[in-house]
Amino acid sequence: MASFSLGIEGRRALVCGASKGLGRACAEALAAAGCDLVICARTDAPLQAAAQAIRAASGREVQAVACDVTTEAGRAALVAVGPDPDILVTNAAGPAPGRFEDWGEAEWGAALAANMVAPLQLIRALVPAMRARGWGRIVNITSGAVKAPLPMLGLSNGARAGLTGAVGGIAREVAKDGVTINNLLPGHFATDRLEAYYAALAAARGQPLEAVRAAVAAANPTGRVGDPAEFGALCAMLCSAHAGYVTGQNLLLDGGAFPGLF
Ligand code: NAP
């Protein structure tokens, strides 16, 4: 085989949380595969810079919408610019770590709104046109914590597990119409979020940042953390023309860190 196409040239993709990190890597991979993009993040300047960089690298059309996808107004602004995508990648920052004793209804409500209800509302808004067209790909960026819940991250563990359960059912409802819904579960990827995690660990352990970085990498079977480009490439593969029989799945990208068989 001389070359292999993902078969999504000319498709339109809406990628949330895409000015940096994993969302940006997904946007870059989809643009490289020939998709035109609508991307968003809350902060306009880095978002515009990301859009410009992706445009220059791929030659594809990239529209940028500064908005907060965890609010109804933010989602409305995004959907107004990209009302009819073939591909949707949902993503937003996760809740801060903390102690479960400190979390009342307000904290749980905010976490569920951001990491469960927001992606579900975007899916609700955009899936009818995908179904009508008979083709669609939806990827939710969740967390390895869905398989192995982490201490101190209860808000994230709970909200993401809720999203996982909800889309598990929805994926089976829309499968007949050519729409797939899958979740990508990152372990440790080299993004700003991971840098913040290193800093918190270094403070908690009283260790230098470099020692914490080295320990996190050494604890992984691969001896390293993930490259966001690896994450983006798998996202693009799940969004490809060839992945129509993969749906309702939770794919862990963690270098083998999770020790279970399933
Ligand atoms: P990141 O490097 O901090 O990037 C997050 C991106 O999303 C930025 O573009 C950010 O821009 C945007 N964003 C955040 N909240 C948003 C919102 N409410 N509305 C619109 N855009 C928003 O984070 P990441 O490492 O890529 O993580 C992405 C997701 O994966 C997060 O939910 C994270 O918890 C999860 N995760 C990451 C790892 C990892 O190792 N990296 C591991 C497990 C889970 P603005 O701040 O300008 O909005």
Side-chain angles (χ1 to χ4, degrees), residues 19-258:
S19 66
K20 61 182 180 174
L22 302 180
R24 175 161 176 174
C26 294
E28 288 174 346
L30 287 166
C35 296
D36 293 319
L37 305 182
V38 174
I39 64 172
C40 82
R42 291 165 299 185
T43 320
D44 193 44
L47 176 69
Q48 297 298 341
Q52 178 52 37
I54 298 170
R55 232 177 260 131
S58 65
R60 304 307 308 188
E61 189 182 310
V62 185
Q63 291 175 274
V65 185
C67 66
D68 182 344
V69 291
T70 69
T71 67
E72 205 174 334
R75 291 190 295 274
L78 181 59
V79 169
V81 175
D84 193 15
D86 303 295
I87 294 166
L88 166 67
V89 179
T90 75
N91 182 31
R99 292 162 14 104
F100 82 90
E101 294 92 335
D102 296 332
W103 299 329
E105 283 193 26
E107 289 75 17
W108 278 108
L112 294 176
N115 295 108
M116 180 182 168
V117 177
L120 288 169
Q121 290 301 316
L122 280 170
I123 293 169
R124 175 171 170 247
L126 299 174
V127 87
M130 293 181 185
R131 295 181 81 176
R133 241 189 340 270
W135 200 95
R137 299 283 184 265
I138 298 172
V139 172
N140 302 300
I141 299 179
T142 65
S143 171
V146 169
K147 281 192 77 105
L150 293 164
M152 309 297 289
L153 283 175
L155 293 173
S156 173
N157 298 336
R160 295 185 198 279
L163 173 66
T164 304
V167 297
I170 297 167
R172 273 82 188 179
E173 283 180 43
V174 302
K176 272 201 177 60
D177 298 322
V179 179
T180 68
I181 311 182
N182 294 289
N183 305 314
L184 285 180
L185 285 54
H188 287 139
F189 279 84
T191 68
D192 285 1
R193 173 158 171 112
L194 189 61
E195 284 301 317
Y197 173 70
Y198 287 148
L201 272 188
R205 294 178 182 171
Q207 288 178 340
L209 209 51
E210 223 20 78
V212 170
R213 275 205 193 93
V216 168
N220 191 278
T222 62
R224 64 180 178 89
V225 298
D227 179 343
E230 296 172 300
F231 191 93
L234 195 67
C235 175
M237 281 187 250
L238 274 181
C239 295
S240 77
H242 315 294
Y245 207 54
V246 182
T247 196
Q249 300 305 300
N250 291 288
L251 301 183
L252 189 57
L253 287 79
D254 72 345
F258 179 72

